[in-house]
C-alpha cells in the first residue's frame, strides 16, 4: 500500500473534537475515542501539497467558487466514481451539508409540516427538523435481525402527511446504501405526493467494493424538487476546512438558496476548502481506494475478534461509512450499564439511542483509525464485557 494508514498520529492538543473534547459528551477526559465523523488519518499527500502551496503563498483574501475549476472537478468525480453525468450548472456552494439541509427544509416546508426521516438517523437531523418547528415523521428501517431495509410501504403511507424527505445515503449510522431501484421508487413516491427530497450524501465516497453508491441525481429524472448535499469532508477527512456543495436541477430554488446564503453573509467560500476539493477529485482517488482497503481491514479485525472472543457483540454487515454498527443486545445489559463499563475501561463509543435506535441496543463505533487503536479498543472491550 503506497499510503500510510498504520502509523498512529497523536491528535491530542490540536483542538480536536474527537480527542480533546471527549469529556463534553462522556463526562470523562482521556478516553480512547471512536466518536464523531472524522478520521485519525492524515489527509492524502496530494491534497496536503495543494494546501501547503497556498499556505506558502500566504494570502487568504476572499475567494469564489463559481468557476470551471471547482465545478468541473465535481462533475469529473461524479462521472468517474458514480458513472453519473451532471450538468455543472446544477452545482452550488454551501458552507456545510447541514446548512444546506436546514435551508432546503426552510425552502420546501413551513412550520408544522412533516419531514420524513429513515430511523435510526444521524443525530443532527433531529434538531435540524424539530428546531425549525417541523414534525419529524419516522420511516423506520426494518431490522430483520441481521440487517436493515428501507420500508417503502411505510414510506408510502406516511408521505401524504409530509412535505419533505430528509434522506441519508449512504446511511449514517447503519452503513447501508439505497439501491438505484429503491431511490427511483422514493423519487416516484415523492413526485406522486408532491414531496421534496433532500438527500444528504456526506458519506458517498465511503462505499466498499463491489457495492456502488448511486447519487440521487442519477435517478431524479425531470422531478425538480430534489437536492443533493455533499462534500469532500468525510471521504477525504477535511471537515474542519469547511465548505460543501449541492446539486439542484431547479434553477429557481437554487437561486433562492444563493440569495439566502448572501443574506446570511456566507457566500464567500474558504479558499483552502475549494483547493482541497479540486485536489481531492483530481488527484486523490488512489488514496481513497487505499483508505477503503484499510477500513475494510479494520472491519475484519473487529468482526474476527467479536466472533472469537466476544460473540455477544455482533457487527452489522455495513457496506458503507467508517462506522461499525454493533448489535449489543446479547450482552443483556441496559444501555446505561454498557456505557458505564465502556467509560470505566477507557473507551468513548457512541450509544445507539443517540441515533434513535432504542431496541435492540446498538453502538456506533468510528473505525477510521490505525489498526493499533482498534486492537487497543478490543483489549479494553474484552475487559469490559468478556
Ligand atoms: C450524514 C452526515 N451529514 C452531514 C454531516 C455533517 O456535514 P457538515 O459538517 O458539512 O454539515 C455528517 C457528519 O457527521 C454526517 O454524518
Amino acid at each position: 500500500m503506497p499510503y500510510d494508514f498504520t502509523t498512529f498520529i497523536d491528535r491530542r492538543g490540536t483542538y480536536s473534537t474527537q480527542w480533546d473534547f471527549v469529556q463534553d459528551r462522556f463526562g470523562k477526559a482521556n478516553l480512547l475515542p471512536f466518536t464523531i465523523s472524522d478520521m485519525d488519518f492524515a489527509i492524502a499527500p496530494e491534497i496536503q501539497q495543494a494546501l501547503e502551496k497556498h499556505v506558502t503563498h500566504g494570502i487568504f483574501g476572499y475567494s469564489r467558487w463559481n468557476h470551471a475549476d471547482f465545478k468541473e472537478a465535481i462533475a469529473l468525480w461524479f462521472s468517474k466514481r458514480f458513472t453519473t453525468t451532471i450538468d455543472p450548472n446544477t452545482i452550488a456552494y454551501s458552507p456545510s451539508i447541514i446548512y444546506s439541509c436546514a435551508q432546503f427544509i426552510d425552502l420546501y416546508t413551513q412550520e408544522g409540516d412533516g419531514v420524513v426521516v429513515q430511523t435510526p438517523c444521524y443525530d443532527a437531523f433531529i434538531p435540524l427538523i424539530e428546531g425549525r418547528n417541523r414534525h419529524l415523521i419516522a420511516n423506520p428501517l426494518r431490522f430483520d435481525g441481521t440487517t436493515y431495509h428501507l420500508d417503502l410501504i411505510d414510506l408510502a403511507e406516511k408521505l401524504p402527511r409530509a412535505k419533505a424527505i430528509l434522506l441519508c445515503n449512504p446511511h449514517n449510522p447503519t452503513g447501508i446504501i439505497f439501491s438505484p431501484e429503491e431511490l427511483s421508487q422514493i423519487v416516484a413516491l415523492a413526485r406522486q405526493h408532491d414531496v421534496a427530497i433532500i438527500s444528504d450524501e456526506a458519506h458517498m465516497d465511503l462505499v466498499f467494493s463491489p457495492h456502488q453508491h448511486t447519487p440521487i441525481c442519477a435517478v431524479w429524472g425531470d422531478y425538480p424538487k430534489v437536492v443533493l448535499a455533499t462534500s469532500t469532508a468525510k471521504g477525504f477527512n477535511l471537515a474542519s476546512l469547511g465548505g460543501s456543495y449541492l446539486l439542484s436541477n431547479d434553477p429557481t430554488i437554487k437561486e433562492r438558496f444563493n440569495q439566502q446564503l448572501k443574506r446570511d453573509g456566507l457566500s464567500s467560500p474558504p479558499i483552502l476548502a475549494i483547493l482541497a476539493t479540486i485536489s481531492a477529485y483530481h488527484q486523490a482517488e488512489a488514496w481513497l481506494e487505499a483508505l477503503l482497503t484499510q477500513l475494510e481491514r479494520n472491519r475484519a479485525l473487529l468482526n474476527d475478534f467479536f466472533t472469537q472472543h466476544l460473540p455477544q457483540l455482533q457487527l452489522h454487515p455495513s457496506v458503507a461509512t467508517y462506522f461499525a454498527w454493533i448489535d449489543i443486545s446479547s450482552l443483556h445489559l441496559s444501555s446505561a450499564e454498557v456505557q458505564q463499563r465502556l467509560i470505566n475501561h477507557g473507551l468513548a463509543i457512541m450509544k445507539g439511542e443517540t441515533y434513535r435506535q432504542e431496541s435492540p441496543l446498538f453502538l456506533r463505533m468510528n473505525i477510521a483509525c490505525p489498526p493499533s487503536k482498534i486492537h487497543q479498543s478490543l483489549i479494553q472491550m474484552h475487559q469490559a464485557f468478556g
Side-chain angles (χ1 to χ4, degrees):
M1 195 185 282
Y3 298 107
D4 180 5
F5 293 103
T6 53
T7 303
F8 178 78
I9 302 170
D10 193 350
R11 298 175 64 192
R12 286 169 299 182
T14 65
Y15 304 107
S16 152
T17 302
Q18 179 92 249
W19 287 84
D20 291 325
F21 298 94
V22 71
Q23 182 160 10
D24 294 354
R25 203 149 202 171
F26 291 85
K28 196 171 169 188
N30 298 318
L31 300 174
L32 197 61
F34 300 85
T35 62
I36 200 167
S37 303
D38 68 15
M39 307 198 252
D40 290 336
F41 300 127
I43 59 170
E46 294 83 355
I47 304 175
Q48 185 138 6
Q49 273 166 24
L51 294 176
E52 277 170 6
K53 190 167 161 220
H54 194 82
V55 170
T56 303
H57 179 255
I59 297 180
F60 298 90
Y62 288 113
S63 185
R64 293 207 174 185
W65 62 269
N66 198 356
H67 44 72
D69 287 353
F70 182 62
K71 294 193 289 188
E72 282 170 10
I74 293 168
L76 174 75
W77 190 248
F78 273 68
S79 161
K80 68 180 171 187
R81 295 299 291 183
F82 313 129
T83 48
T84 302
T85 303
I86 59 170
D87 173 358
N89 293 320
T90 60
I91 298 169
Y93 164 78
S94 168
S96 75
I97 294 174
I98 289 303
Y99 179 83
S100 301
C101 295
Q103 293 310 318
F104 278 89
I105 289 173
D106 286 349
L107 287 166
Y108 284 131
T109 72
Q110 313 255 324
E111 290 202 6
D113 284 345
V115 178
V116 174
V117 167
Q118 281 72 37
T119 52
C121 69
Y122 171 42
D123 50 328
F125 280 6
I126 300 165
L128 198 58
I129 295 170
E130 297 181 342
R132 326 188 98 66
N133 297 324
R134 272 66 167 175
H135 232 37
L136 191 156
I137 303 177
N139 168 222
L141 295 170
R142 257 186 310 105
F143 184 56
D144 66 10
T146 306
T147 189
Y148 287 84
H149 306 273
L150 180 68
D151 189 340
L152 282 162
I153 295 171
D154 180 75
L155 181 64
E157 276 169 17
K158 288 177 175 164
L159 281 189
R161 289 188 280 122
K163 286 285 186 294
I165 304 169
L166 181 52
L167 203 64
C168 185
N169 182 35
H171 186 261
N172 175 4
T174 66
I176 64 168
I177 55 172
F178 301 123
S179 69
E181 295 73 27
E182 286 172 321
L183 293 169
S184 298
Q185 289 182 63
I186 294 172
V187 172
L189 285 171
R191 184 194 286 269
Q192 186 186 335
H193 296 282
D194 192 30
V195 166
I197 303 171
I198 302 163
S199 184
D200 174 339
E201 304 189 14
H203 297 270
M204 68 183 188
D205 295 319
L206 299 168
V207 175
F208 303 114
S209 175
H211 302 275
Q212 280 265 328
H213 174 68
T214 306
I216 194 88
C217 59
V219 301
W220 68 27
D222 61 356
Y223 187 52
K225 287 176 84 167
V226 191
V227 61
L228 185 166
T230 192
S231 74
T232 46
K234 297 287 164 281
F236 296 92
N237 207 23
L238 298 165
S240 63
L241 287 186
S244 75
Y245 61 91
L246 58 90
L247 306 179
S248 159
N249 66 356
D250 178 348
T252 309
I253 202 140
K254 195 154 68 69
E255 187 46 32
R256 286 178 64 198
F257 172 81
N258 282 333
Q259 292 304 327
Q260 185 61 41
L261 206 60
K262 286 209 177 87
R263 274 198 295 278
D264 288 348
L266 293 168
S267 55
S268 262
I271 180 59
L272 294 182
I274 296 294
L275 291 172
T277 294
I278 295 171
S279 169
Y281 289 167
H282 281 295
Q283 301 176 292
E285 190 176 14
W287 179 89
L288 178 69
E289 286 297 339
L291 167 74
L292 289 167
T293 302
Q294 184 62 55
L295 293 177
E296 285 192 280
R297 286 186 187 154
N298 287 358
R299 277 189 64 81
L301 262 179
L302 220 59
N303 201 31
D304 292 350
F305 188 90
F306 289 166
T307 309
Q308 286 172 36
H309 306 290
L310 271 177
Q312 314 93 302
L313 270 57
Q314 205 123 43
L315 189 61
H316 173 256
S318 308
V319 300
T321 79
Y322 42 61
F323 303 124
W325 184 239
I326 305 166
D327 186 340
I328 52 166
S329 49
S330 299
L331 286 173
H332 302 295
L333 296 171
S334 72
S335 180
E337 282 171 314
V338 171
Q339 279 302 309
Q340 206 47 60
R341 285 202 198 185
L342 287 170
I343 292 167
N344 289 347
H345 289 85
L347 293 171
I349 302 178
M350 303 300 294
K351 56 179 177 231
E353 294 103 299
T354 304
Y355 314 96
R356 292 214 168 168
Q357 172 70 43
E358 312 284 341
S359 170
L361 291 180
F362 273 84
L363 293 173
R364 193 196 78 172
M365 179 174 175
N366 178 342
I367 57 165
C369 58
S372 56
K373 187 181 165 202
I374 304 271
H375 279 299
Q376 186 55 42
S377 76
L378 291 171
I379 293 168
Q380 292 169 222
M381 259 191 257
H382 194 251
Q383 287 164 352
F385 305 118

